Amino acid sequence: MTMKIFDSESYRPRAWVLLAAGLAVAICSGAIFLDMHKPEPLVAGPGVTQQKMLSDYVPELANTPADTPIYILEGEEPGGTLMLIGGTHPQELSGVLAAVLTMENVTPQRGRIIIFPQANRSGFTHTDPLEGFPHTFSVQARDGSERWFRVGMRLSNPIHQWPDPDIHLHPQSGERMVGWESRNLNRNYPGVDDGRYTARINAAITQVARQENVDLLLDMHEAYPEYPIINMMVAHERAFEISTLAMIGLQMRGIPMDLMASPPLLRGLSHREFGDHTQALAILSETANPAMGRFRGRTDEELVVGGRDANYVRAAKLRRLFVPFDENGHPLNERTGRQLATVEELVIAYNEANPDKQIDVTGIPTYEDVTAQGISPFLLPTP
Amino acid sequence: MPFDLLLLYTYRLMAAIVAIMMIWVLFRERDWRSQFFAMLVFVPFALRAAGVK
């Protein structure tokens, strides 16, 4: 029997069997890849007064993968405008969750909040090749039902923008970067209207910030614990005063968050380009996500949500990290709470500096509550 | 059509040609190893030709 299977005379039936096997593998794996394109349900909370799409500002993006939802929360009284950007890098989950919790829980009395929960939607449709990331994770909503979210990748999907150049040139400055940064939303601001896929998203988001006269902008990120810019805000020089006040506020609450000035020559990043090209006070925040680092062990839903990893505990003991890391790790709850506390303190600081154009909001889940109770009590069930 | 989109479609066309060639190899080769390797090459190129991956 064995001889017959491998016998050269039986090559034709063997070809049919192998072709069927190849097609089966292609169809099954193709279905898994296509499943990543299915968007998770996003729920508009009671404070949301308008739901728009990016294509409402730039019609050319309609019916393209670049189009993404925008939630606007407007108070009854006029005031300042805050823009929150989550999902610039989709695997940096605390930014996505902080944007989601804000749009589901916050109600402004004065001023507006404009929220991008998934700034680069293409990045949500794939994960890092060969890194073994889970495609999704689940969290309980406040009624016990399940909410699921995708774990994406920091770059746009190459099926939407290909090929990468050898060297990416930031068009406005001529700064040179590695080629795949052409698919990185946070290296292409302020964007190019008729540029490549990612640069067009950048241009559209910049246009939203200009058109809506955004006063304060926070782009929420995460980085691996061995990265020096962690648990930190990076602020444009015009935003340094309120960022300093916010940092003091955070530290007085026992939430260590450092502050760094946006380097003038580091181009294409949100904290630099929104500050230079719009009236917004632009800030970027970073929390520590062990699921993104090179020391991590098995990369599964437990690591993504729980944020605990024995390798990182060891690395911390060897002083290889830029954040404390013990057996409790850095759970998604704590990281999301830190982002929300940063939003809260930045709004307080902004209001102190701008008494005539305040942003008054209620309902931001506090760091203390989110850390103690988790994000579940603040997640609305899907309708 | 933007130039990079033209390149992308050209790439998909080339991936389709490779996938079809692998089917041709499957039915032409008599050695099971060549056939097996053709099947292994077929899978990713079929996915790339379909624009899924």
Side-chain angles (χ1 to χ4, degrees):
Chain A
M1 182 65 185
T2 309
M3 289 302 288
K4 275 190 178 174
I5 290 171
F6 295 108
D7 192 72
S8 64
E9 295 307 312
S10 54
Y11 77 98
R12 197 164 280 273
R14 193 166 56 227
W16 281 111
V17 171
L18 285 169
L19 180 61
L23 282 172
V25 172
I27 290 168
C28 291
S29 51
I32 293 169
F33 290 130
L34 285 176
D35 208 35
M36 288 285 289
H37 292 255
K38 182 181 158 194
E40 55 275 83
L42 295 173
V43 185
V48 174
T49 49
Q50 278 186 81
Q51 188 181 337
K52 290 186 169 183
M53 296 296 287
L54 193 53
S55 58
D56 292 329
Y57 296 86
V58 181
E60 294 78 31
L61 297 182
N63 303 315
T64 72
D67 208 4
T68 188
I70 304 169
Y71 295 84
I72 299 176
L73 293 70
E74 187 155 8
E76 289 182 0
E77 293 179 48
T81 299
L82 163 69
M83 183 189 273
L84 290 179
I85 303 179
T88 296
H89 295 150
Q91 89 281 36
E92 297 171 12
L93 300 170
S94 72
V96 178
L97 264 295
V100 165
L101 290 193
T102 304
M103 75 191 201
E104 294 187 8
N105 292 278
V106 171
T107 305
Q109 281 75 46
R110 199 178 335 178
R112 289 187 304 167
I113 309 178
I114 298 171
I115 301 174
F116 284 81
Q118 297 180 325
N120 187 0
R121 254 197 161 176
S122 170
F124 285 84
T125 64
H126 67 148
T127 54
D128 274 292
L130 306 176
E131 294 285 347
F133 272 99
H135 288 186
T136 60
F137 68 95
S138 300
V139 188
Q140 272 193 350
R142 68 170 59 149
D143 68 345
S145 62
E146 197 172 83
R147 289 280 300 270
W148 62 275
F149 298 91
R150 286 174 289 177
V151 181
M153 186 198 176
R154 68 189 275 113
L155 305 174
S156 299
N157 193 328
I159 70 168
H160 299 137
Q161 181 180 316
W162 185 91
D164 291 340
D166 290 337
I167 294 171
H168 170 56
L169 279 176
H170 181 250
Q172 286 81 6
S173 65
E175 184 179 328
R176 295 192 298 175
M177 309 174 204
V178 65
W180 45 258
E181 296 285 29
S182 68
R183 289 185 286 128
N184 184 344
L185 195 65
N186 204 30
R187 295 294 182 279
N188 285 281
Y189 284 112
V192 182
D193 290 330
D194 57 351
R196 300 188 74 189
Y197 173 86
T198 307
R200 289 173 67 189
I201 303 173
N202 287 102
I205 297 175
T206 306
Q207 186 175 321
V208 175
R210 284 186 186 131
Q211 201 169 316
E212 299 291 353
N213 298 315
V214 170
D215 300 296
L216 176 63
L217 182 146
L218 179 66
D219 184 16
M220 297 177 286
H221 287 254
E222 293 201 286
Y224 39 93
E226 59 269 38
Y227 187 63
I229 301 169
I230 201 77
N231 284 353
M232 192 177 282
M233 288 179 277
V234 185
H236 189 269
E237 49 272 19
R238 288 194 295 108
F240 220 70
E241 185 183 339
I242 65 156
S243 305
T244 307
L245 286 171
M247 180 188 70
I248 293 167
L250 285 163
Q251 301 215 352
M252 285 175 68
R253 288 170 61 182
I255 310 168
M257 199 76 174
D258 287 330
L259 177 60
M260 174 186 165
S262 168
L265 297 180
L266 188 61
R267 300 299 302 274
L269 288 96
S270 55
H271 49 78
R272 168 54 41 201
E273 305 299 343
F274 280 111
D276 282 357
H277 294 274
T278 73
Q279 67 167 28
L281 303 173
I283 299 136
L284 178 147
S285 58
E286 296 271 11
T287 58
N289 181 355
M292 294 167 62
R294 300 308 335 158
F295 296 154
R296 73 182 190 274
R298 185 178 174 187
T299 314
D300 55 9
E301 197 172 333
E302 174 54 34
L303 176 61
V304 166
V305 177
R308 286 178 286 273
D309 190 296
N311 295 341
Y312 273 103
V313 176
R314 190 166 168 230
K317 285 176 184 164
L318 294 169
R319 301 184 176 198
R320 293 287 185 266
L321 306 182
F322 289 88
V323 284
F325 206 106
D326 59 18
E327 286 72 14
N328 296 319
H330 285 275
L332 187 56
N333 294 337
E334 183 261 321
R335 285 143 44 203
T336 306
R338 189 179 291 269
Q339 298 279 17
L340 290 165
T342 305
V343 174
E344 193 179 353
E345 292 297 332
L346 279 171
V347 168
I348 292 169
Y350 172 84
N351 288 343
E352 277 185 35
N354 298 275
D356 301 333
K357 206 177 182 187
Q358 296 214 339
I359 303 165
D360 286 341
V361 297
T362 52
I364 298 179
T366 66
Y367 173 81
E368 294 76 13
D369 286 346
V370 174
T371 311
Q373 302 167 35
I375 59 174
S376 295
F378 306 99
L379 270 181
L380 297 178
T382 48
Chain B
M1 179 185 289
F3 180 67
D4 56 331
L5 206 57
L6 185 69
L7 271 177
L8 182 61
Y9 287 133
T10 308
Y11 171 73
R12 286 182 188 168
L13 180 66
M14 290 167 69
I17 291 169
V18 173
I20 291 164
M21 287 295 291
M22 289 303 109
I23 296 173
W24 183 72
V25 170
L26 261 177
F27 284 93
R28 179 179 169 273
E29 288 293 329
R30 288 169 180 256
D31 183 70
W32 70 271
R33 281 159 293 212
S34 302
Q35 288 180 307
F36 181 69
F37 293 139
M39 187 271 280
L40 289 183
V41 175
F42 166 78
V43 172
F45 280 88
L47 289 171
R48 279 169 168 73
V52 172
K53 180 63 181 167

